[in-house]
Amino acid sequence: MSNYPSEITPSEGERLTEVIKDWALAHGLTVRPPPAILPAEVDPIGILATPVPVTLFPSPFPRVCFDEAIKVQKAYNELYASISQDEAFLARIVKEIGDSDDFIQELWKVHLRVKEEGYVQHKSLGLFRSDYMIHQDNTGSRPQIKQVEFNTIASSFGGLSSQTSLLHKYLSLTEYPLLENSIQRGALQLPENESAVGLAAGIRHAFIEYGPPSTSYQKCIIFLVQGGERNIFDQRHLEYELQKSQEPQIAVFRLPFAEILRHTTIAEGPGRQLFYRPPQLPSHTFEVAVIYMRSGYGPSDYPDQSAWEARYHLERSAAIKCPTVLTQVAGTKKVQQVLATPETPSNPSILPNYISKDSASVSNLANTFTNIYPLDETEAGLRARKIAVDPDLCKSYVLKPQREGGGNNIYRSAIPPFLKSVPESHWPSHILMELITPPPVKNTILRNGKLEHGGVICELGIYGVCIWDQQSKTILHNEQAGYLLRTKGDQSEEGGVAAGFGCMDSVNLV
């Protein structure tokens, strides 16, 4: 991997910057400008876009690891669909997280309220993403794929990822052959990436699974979004794929989370159909078949009690949710920790509870786990506490809360002082994860018109689509749906693109 990509001259960097910038704008590989680049008051009505940060070259990635991650995705879909059906297990998880995490407790209260009333919709849609890094102990050892986290809500960048793959394929045909250190056409191994198509197909399947409307209104899909969303074009690519469908024709609307109660109502009676009246089209009413949540994953989406009432309002409705509260809770770091904590005679693996015992899937899944420990008072938790407060031992670990999105983790030497700053009763709401050691990779990142050369760390995400019936406990649809590669400078701890840490990338299989 060390010789690729080769160095480029300053003039070649200028040429690639110009080509990438224009290709990205022409093909929607874009975001709304961040405030650091353009103050909001300069563009009050949101008409401007800027290229998303992206690598100049597709990063080298071991084929054996890429294939392994692709191969295991459908088993991961089945695993998390099955966990979402195990209410007793999830109740134990919520109890173990404890009152130190108000957000998870409030989510669980929404589920309990709907459970008491009775769910009317038993089908669930999961648009999942399993994130990995390459682990290599030393340069001579075989690279291994190790899971960083599993996302069950707002698994983003499927729209931009497929565009990034197309960008790098375009450059491999038109620009790389012209470089001083030429890369000939066909020399790079660039796999197909249909992430936008695959994720949209999953939403479309759920739309069909909902069945015909039970009222006189046309069915629709709601994208539940955050106000002032900068990553809007990633979402738009999925919308446009859905709207290409001729049979069935699909109406898609964007609804800010804060406006749920203003623009939706639930039918009186046992059906509890969810109705949506677009504010710009007040004479039209739609029956909502699917709610795809690109918001609602963190406390900032619930500033007051009315926001929790809005989530309850959706959860009790007949619309198919992506995700339900149960599926969202299944995606907490605590569940990942329970799955991945090393087996002992007193702590056997729970994987066989959710994946058939005779399946090779159990070992394939387990092979992707890295060591993760609780910070509770169990035997494993007490061992982890000793590591976490030790100024030397902690340097090989990351501390994670039960949160989605970038910027929440505590790394290495920052762990002991952080734990001292919070009550010990709050420690169990975190997990302690052994850091993954990636092999050295270099690349150049184009961010806000400037080139950043140097070492990088790559994180692979594999998308999965799953539809299942909570009541009959059957899986109705299960597919792998493309990939995402995010890359960051090797001095950066976090990797979220939307959070400003990483950039978009694609793989060159080696």
Side-chain angles (χ1 to χ4, degrees), residues 140-265:
S141 64
R142 178 187 179 276
Q144 299 172 289
I145 195 93
K146 292 296 180 184
Q147 189 183 62
V148 177
E149 65 181 2
F150 192 90
N151 301 277
T152 63
I153 181 170
S155 302
S156 58
F157 294 112
L160 295 186
S161 181
S162 51
Q163 297 304 102
T164 305
S165 294
L166 290 175
L167 166 66
H168 284 152
K169 285 187 178 181
Y170 170 78
L171 294 173
S172 74
L173 296 173
T174 61
E175 298 298 321
Y176 301 159
L178 305 178
L179 298 174
E180 194 172 292
N181 292 307
S182 175
I183 303 172
Q184 295 306 307
R185 288 187 178 195
L188 302 181
Q189 301 300 308
L190 308 178
E192 292 294 320
N193 185 13
E194 297 283 333
S195 51
V197 172
L199 292 171
I203 301 173
R204 180 179 178 274
H205 272 284
F207 183 80
I208 294 168
E209 281 290 344
Y210 180 85
S214 51
T215 63
S216 59
Y217 301 125
Q218 179 186 346
K219 289 193 302 179
C220 79
I221 291 171
I222 292 289
F223 276 46
L224 199 63
V225 300
Q226 293 175 324
E229 175 64 73
R230 286 184 49 237
N231 194 28
I232 185 171
F233 304 106
D234 176 51
Q235 300 168 8
R236 289 290 193 188
H237 284 300
L238 301 191
E239 291 178 48
Y240 301 151
E241 283 297 330
L242 280 167
Q243 290 167 325
K244 287 178 183 177
S245 174
Q246 295 298 309
E247 187 54 47
Q249 288 193 328
I250 301 175
V252 182
F253 298 99
R254 298 173 62 81
L255 175 64
F257 194 94
E259 297 178 17
I260 292 169
L261 295 176
R262 194 179 312 161
H263 300 303
T264 68
T265 55

Side-chain angles (χ1 to χ4, degrees), residues 17 48 88 95 158 166 182 188 251 264 333 398-399 406 432 438 443 478:
T17 296
L48 299 179
K95 186 176 181 181
L166 290 175
S182 175
L188 302 181
T264 68
K333 304 298 186 291
V398 55
L399 190 70
L432 189 71
N443 210 326
N478 183 4

Side-chain angles (χ1 to χ4, degrees), residues 34-95:
I37 298 299
L38 191 77
E41 58 268 21
V42 177
D43 184 29
I45 56 175
I47 61 169
L48 299 179
T50 188
V52 73
V54 66
T55 57
L56 262 55
F57 300 90
S59 288
F61 200 92
R63 181 186 293 273
V64 62
C65 294
F66 184 82
D67 290 346
E68 190 178 337
I70 293 286
K71 179 182 174 184
V72 81
Q73 184 58 40
K74 288 173 73 170
Y76 262 118
N77 294 347
E78 180 187 344
L79 172 63
Y80 275 84
S82 298
I83 289 172
S84 298
Q85 296 163 33
D86 190 347
E87 189 209 13
F89 170 71
L90 293 175
R92 178 166 69 84
I93 290 294
V94 171
K95 186 176 181 181

Side-chain angles (χ1 to χ4, degrees), residues 200-485:
I203 301 173
R204 180 179 178 274
H205 272 284
F207 183 80
I208 294 168
E209 281 290 344
Y210 180 85
S214 51
T215 63
S216 59
Y217 301 125
Q218 179 186 346
K219 289 193 302 179
C220 79
I221 291 171
I222 292 289
F223 276 46
L224 199 63
V225 300
Q226 293 175 324
E229 175 64 73
R230 286 184 49 237
N231 194 28
I232 185 171
F233 304 106
D234 176 51
Q235 300 168 8
R236 289 290 193 188
H237 284 300
L238 301 191
E239 291 178 48
Y240 301 151
E241 283 297 330
L242 280 167
Q243 290 167 325
K244 287 178 183 177
S245 174
Q246 295 298 309
E247 187 54 47
Q249 288 193 328
I250 301 175
V252 182
F253 298 99
R254 298 173 62 81
L255 175 64
F257 194 94
E259 297 178 17
I260 292 169
L261 295 176
R262 194 179 312 161
H263 300 303
T264 68
T265 55
I266 291 180
E268 294 183 8
R272 283 190 238 148
Q273 296 87 354
L274 183 67
F275 299 132
Y276 172 66
R277 182 171 292 176
Q280 303 94 339
L281 306 166
S283 62
H284 292 265
T285 301
F286 292 83
E287 182 176 333
V288 182
V290 180
I291 301 164
Y292 171 45
M293 294 182 65
R294 291 294 293 259
S295 59
Y297 51 81
S300 62
D301 288 318
Y302 303 85
D304 51 37
Q305 190 55 38
S306 69
W308 287 109
E309 286 301 315
R311 182 66 187 269
Y312 165 68
H313 172 81
L314 298 181
E315 193 75 9
R316 69 185 289 267
S317 78
I320 294 177
K321 270 74 70 178
C322 179
T324 62
V325 165
L326 289 173
T327 306
Q328 186 171 349
V329 172
T332 56
K333 304 298 186 291
K334 182 66 181 175
V335 170
Q336 185 191 6
Q337 172 259 301
V338 171
L339 291 170
T341 296
E343 274 190 81
T344 63
S346 60
N347 181 46
S349 170
I350 65 168
L351 277 179
N353 299 350
Y354 302 107
I355 301 284
S356 53
K357 288 186 176 68
D358 59 345
S359 171
S361 298
V362 173
S363 60
N364 290 340
L365 287 168
N367 287 340
T368 67
F369 294 161
T370 190
N371 290 331
I372 308 177
Y373 302 95
L375 280 182
D376 54 22
E377 296 183 355
T378 62
E379 182 185 346
L382 293 174
R383 276 203 312 272
R385 288 183 176 208
K386 286 182 180 178
I387 294 169
V389 298
D390 187 294
D392 291 319
L393 295 177
C394 70
K395 291 177 182 176
S396 298
Y397 290 85
V398 55
L399 190 70
K400 294 186 173 187
Q402 314 298 320
R403 288 288 170 272
E404 299 299 330
N408 298 303
N409 300 332
I410 312 297
Y411 289 84
R412 299 183 177 90
S413 300
I415 296 173
F418 172 80
L419 289 176
K420 284 181 183 175
S421 72
V422 298
E424 201 167 315
S425 60
H426 289 193
W427 291 12
S429 66
H430 294 75
I431 62 165
L432 189 71
M433 180 185 224
E434 200 171 313
L435 283 168
I436 300 165
T437 310
V441 175
K442 61 180 181 178
N443 210 326
T444 301
I445 296 171
L446 174 60
R447 188 192 311 277
N448 300 329
K450 297 178 181 177
L451 295 178
E452 305 167 5
H453 308 275
V456 296
I457 294 172
C458 303
E459 188 171 305
L460 177 72
I462 305 296
Y463 294 103
V465 170
C466 196
I467 302 172
W468 65 95
D469 190 307
Q470 292 278 124
Q471 196 170 47
S472 65
K473 301 194 181 302
T474 53
I475 291 181
L476 307 170
H477 182 75
N478 183 4
E479 294 293 341
Q480 181 269 124
Y483 82 89
L484 162 71
L485 194 70

